[in-house]
Amino acid sequence: MNSKQIAGEKACEYIQDGMVVGLGTGSTAYYMIQKLGDRVAEGLNVTGVVTSKATEKLALERNIPLMDLNDVTEIDLTIDGADEVDAAFRGVKGGGGALLFEKLVAHASKKSIWVVGEDKVVETLGAFPLPVEVVPFGYKQVERQLEEKGYNPILRHHEDGSIYLTDSQNYILDLQMKAITNPEALNDWLNNLPGVVENGLFLNYASSIVIGFSDGSVEVRDK
Ligand code: 5RP
């Protein structure tokens, strides 16, 4: 078992009968969803709320009942991956491009558990490029302002060279910052830029972090 599988499957244990569960996106959340599919097949009664089209496809394949975010008042628990996590339970997300829906679902959740391999735990956020979702119209204006700040934005592309589009048909600018010294200030500044839809800083969402290790062990950190 790899560290992602260990973390994903461990976090699935926190899902209880009758819960409305936010289903995260990515290769670690994948294992949680697979395990949840097994538990649903055994009779567990849950309703999932997805954070991406990819997760919707996976959940439907595993026969997990789903509801639209518009139709739930509150989500009991969301389990999602992260690209970086620091000791203050702040994180960078959006490597898989689902940051907007992930933040909407996290915001509607009573609790959020992040599932990560040990390599995602960092002292300072920012070595992983910070995704910023922008509307295509006039996005070069946003890009210019990010360049002026020295944040080195790179427009995300697919391997075939086409521009990457999010599930909401927006672009992503990945900021190469190396270190984010004041995540709260950066989050505020980014969210005040016209054209920015959302950014990948998740500062006050994770209530627990489940860390999988390559030696097969797992650690749960509660805030
Ligand atoms: C997608 C995300 C993912 O949760 C994040 O990129 C972690 O992915 P993985 O578990 O595949 O490393 O934020 O937008």
Side-chain angles (χ1 to χ4, degrees):
M1 237 194 249
N2 64 49
S3 58
K4 292 184 178 201
Q5 185 168 1
I6 290 161
E9 294 192 355
K10 175 71 185 171
C12 190
E13 293 174 11
Y14 291 83
I15 300 173
Q16 292 169 8
D17 204 60
M19 277 187 167
V20 177
V21 183
L23 304 175
T25 296
S27 56
T28 318
Y30 166 89
Y31 290 108
M32 177 276 295
I33 295 167
Q34 289 294 350
K35 193 78 186 167
L36 183 58
D38 293 345
R39 293 185 63 196
V40 167
E42 287 160 14
L44 183 79
N45 169 35
V46 288
T47 305
V49 178
V50 300
T51 53
S52 64
K53 287 182 181 162
T55 290
E56 180 177 41
K57 183 170 176 287
L58 184 60
L60 290 174
E61 280 167 12
R62 298 308 325 266
N63 297 315
I64 299 169
L66 297 179
M67 249 174 123
D68 194 284
L69 181 58
N70 285 319
D71 299 327
V72 298
T73 40
E74 207 170 35
I75 296 169
D76 294 299
L77 170 67
T78 286
I79 301 177
D80 201 351
D83 299 301
E84 281 183 339
V85 191
D86 73 5
F89 290 70
R90 300 177 298 191
V92 167
K93 288 180 48 53
L99 61 155
L100 175 59
F101 290 3
E102 288 173 335
K103 203 174 272 189
L104 283 164
V105 168
H107 199 77
S109 303
K110 285 193 258 184
K111 282 185 166 187
S112 284
I113 296 178
W114 286 350
V115 286
V116 294
E118 57 190 313
D119 54 311
K120 304 284 187 75
V121 181
V122 299
E123 219 163 276
T124 308
L125 302 176
F128 189 92
L130 175 67
V132 179
E133 182 161 346
V134 295
V135 292
F137 180 81
Y139 80 93
K140 279 184 181 286
Q141 298 296 334
V142 180
E143 190 179 45
R144 202 166 294 135
Q145 291 171 82
L146 295 168
E147 271 161 7
E148 278 169 16
K149 283 276 187 182
Y151 295 161
N152 305 314
I154 294 179
L155 182 64
R156 193 179 293 190
H157 286 78
H158 291 287
E159 273 179 14
D160 67 4
S162 59
I163 296 179
Y164 178 92
L165 286 176
T166 66
D167 283 349
S168 302
Q169 306 299 299
N170 291 317
Y171 292 169
I172 289 186
L173 294 166
D174 286 303
L175 309 188
Q176 323 293 311
M177 299 189 60
K178 296 194 174 76
I180 299 173
T181 46
N182 189 339
E184 284 76 13
L186 179 63
N187 183 48
D188 290 347
W189 185 80
L190 287 171
N191 285 349
N192 274 324
L193 270 188
V196 170
V197 179
E198 197 45 85
N199 79 85
L201 284 167
F202 282 57
L203 303 180
N204 215 359
Y205 290 108
S207 35
S208 300
I209 298 168
V210 177
I211 307 165
F213 291 85
S214 48
D215 66 3
S217 62
V218 64
E219 179 188 337
V220 180
R221 290 189 192 166
D222 294 316
K223 198 171 181 180

